[in-house]
Amino acid sequence: MIQQVHPAALELHNLTVAYRQKPVLWNIDFTLPPGQLIGIVGPNGSGKTTMIKATMGLVPISSGAVKIFDQPLAQVRARVSYVPQRNSVDWDFPVNVWEVVLMGRARPGQLFRRYSREDKALARQALEQVKMENFARRQIAELSGGQQQRVFLARALAQQADLYLMDEPFAGVDAATEQAIMELLKSMRAAGKTIIVVHHDLQTVNEYFDWVVLLNTRLIASGPTMAAFTPELLYQTYGGKLNILSQVGDLLSQKQHPLREKTPKAP
Ligand SMILES: Nc1ncnc2c1ncn2[C@@H]1O[C@H](COP(=O)(O)OP(=O)(O)OP(=O)(O)O)[C@@H](O)[C@H]1O
Ligand SMILES: [Mg+2]
């Protein structure tokens, strides 16, 4: 019998996405391994959210293809969980924490499904994992930003997916919460999940991620963090914006310094 090798978690093939004819992702092509913590890194407007949305079928693709676990999204939708960028969600929607987390157990096309005992147990467990069980009846609009973020993480956990796409899960959360979320993500990885995280803090990339995708409309790099998260590639990704690159001062000062312009030779 032929041994089944683990399929890639996510493949993008020559993916181009445009808003009003203007490409914001250009010919992106990469393959991401399963069972890893993967960081998506790039400046504001570089197409990170668009890439996640295109993967989830939420924005039209101009050309190219998306494959998840070797299949089109429609075949594996239940195995994929998406945590949107927080500021993209309407928080005034009148719904409480418990209802949001239970939505993680909803099935496509079954909006008014009755939730089973198991669904409720999974939702409760997810709320405990993010330490929000005492807020179950609270309206979502009445939570702090960091608390909302944890509730949306709980919804994703309740879904029991295999691939998680998280758009800036650490935005606006305090250091202790970030550590707690990170521990959770590591335990998910230990359970074989693939977690793709859009991430802005360059300081923590080395520590957090096994694999990094550098994006700036085009793909700059995709590879193990050791190989892809280099000063040279960051310089390309951020177009030499020094204020951003100063965040990675440690990293840059360790290696040869690509930021310093070569002293022009005397004529
Ligand atoms: N619905 C839309 N209509 C038109 N243009 C859009 C739309 N959404 C995003 N864009 C544009 O597409 C580009 C990529 O946006 P995207 O949200 O993917 O960037 P991002 O990398 O997630 O940025 P950030 O770090 O600020 O979240 C930007 O130039 C943005 O202005
Ligand atoms: Mg974004």
Side-chain angles (χ1 to χ4, degrees):
M1 237 173 86
I2 297 165
Q3 187 83 40
Q4 180 79 39
V5 283
H6 287 300
L10 174 63
E11 293 165 70
L12 301 187
H13 292 302
N14 301 315
L15 181 80
T16 293
V17 176
Y19 292 115
R20 297 188 214 95
Q21 324 288 356
K22 186 180 177 290
V24 298
L25 285 177
W26 184 256
N27 210 26
I28 305 291
D29 200 286
F30 62 61
T31 299
L32 300 181
Q36 302 219 325
L37 257 162
I38 297 164
I40 309 287
V41 172
N44 291 138
S46 59
K48 303 179 299 295
T49 295
T50 303
M51 196 176 82
I52 302 282
K53 285 184 174 171
T55 300
M56 292 303 296
L58 299 171
V59 294
I61 287 171
S62 305
S63 63
V66 175
K67 265 189 169 183
I68 299 170
F69 299 122
D70 215 17
Q71 311 215 47
L73 173 69
Q75 304 295 316
V76 289
R77 194 176 275 277
R79 296 176 64 194
V80 186
S81 180
Y82 167 51
V83 183
Q85 199 166 347
R86 193 151 47 86
N87 61 16
S88 70
V89 178
D90 175 10
W91 296 104
D92 291 333
F93 197 74
V95 61
N96 71 29
V97 166
W98 177 242
E99 290 162 332
V100 168
V101 178
L102 259 186
M103 280 174 206
R105 303 300 307 159
R107 296 280 173 279
Q110 275 186 284
L111 201 53
F112 299 104
R113 159 174 200 267
R114 281 184 69 94
Y115 293 103
S116 68
R117 195 183 294 243
E118 194 204 359
D119 291 330
K120 289 175 188 168
L122 286 168
R124 198 165 301 118
Q125 190 188 323
L127 262 184
E128 284 164 10
Q129 278 179 290
V130 302
K131 303 196 170 56
M132 285 295 290
E133 64 270 30
N134 295 332
F135 294 83
R137 303 293 153 199
R138 184 78 75 84
Q139 290 295 304
I140 201 85
E142 295 167 358
L143 295 175
S144 76
Q147 290 167 338
Q148 290 172 344
Q149 198 64 24
R150 278 148 67 188
V151 170
F152 276 73
L153 197 60
R155 180 179 66 170
L157 288 170
Q159 195 184 332
Q160 305 247 292
D162 294 311
L163 172 63
Y164 288 83
L165 301 163
M166 303 187 174
D167 202 343
E168 301 200 31
F170 302 123
V173 308
D174 64 33
T177 304
E178 176 161 337
Q179 278 314 309
I181 292 176
M182 204 49 218
E183 289 310 311
L184 202 56
L185 301 189
K186 285 180 187 164
S187 68
M188 290 160 70
R189 173 180 60 187
K193 315 286 189 186
T194 307
I195 306 126
I196 298 177
V197 176
V198 175
H199 193 63
H200 262 299
D201 180 10
L202 299 178
Q203 302 269 22
T204 49
V205 168
N206 269 315
E207 182 193 339
Y208 287 0
F209 301 110
D210 308 306
W211 188 282
V212 172
V213 173
L214 298 180
L215 193 68
N216 194 343
T217 308
R218 295 162 193 268
L219 182 68
I220 309 295
S222 171
T225 307
M226 284 288 284
F229 196 67
T230 66
E232 293 82 354
L233 292 167
L234 280 168
Y235 188 77
Q236 284 183 40
T237 308
Y238 286 90
K241 289 202 183 73
L242 289 163
N243 54 339
I244 292 169
L245 284 173
S246 65
Q247 284 184 31
V248 274
D250 282 351
L251 178 77
L252 293 168
S253 56
Q254 278 164 19
K255 313 204 178 185
Q256 77 276 46
H257 215 301
L259 293 178
R260 218 162 276 157
E261 282 177 10
K262 294 214 173 67
T263 317
K265 289 203 179 79

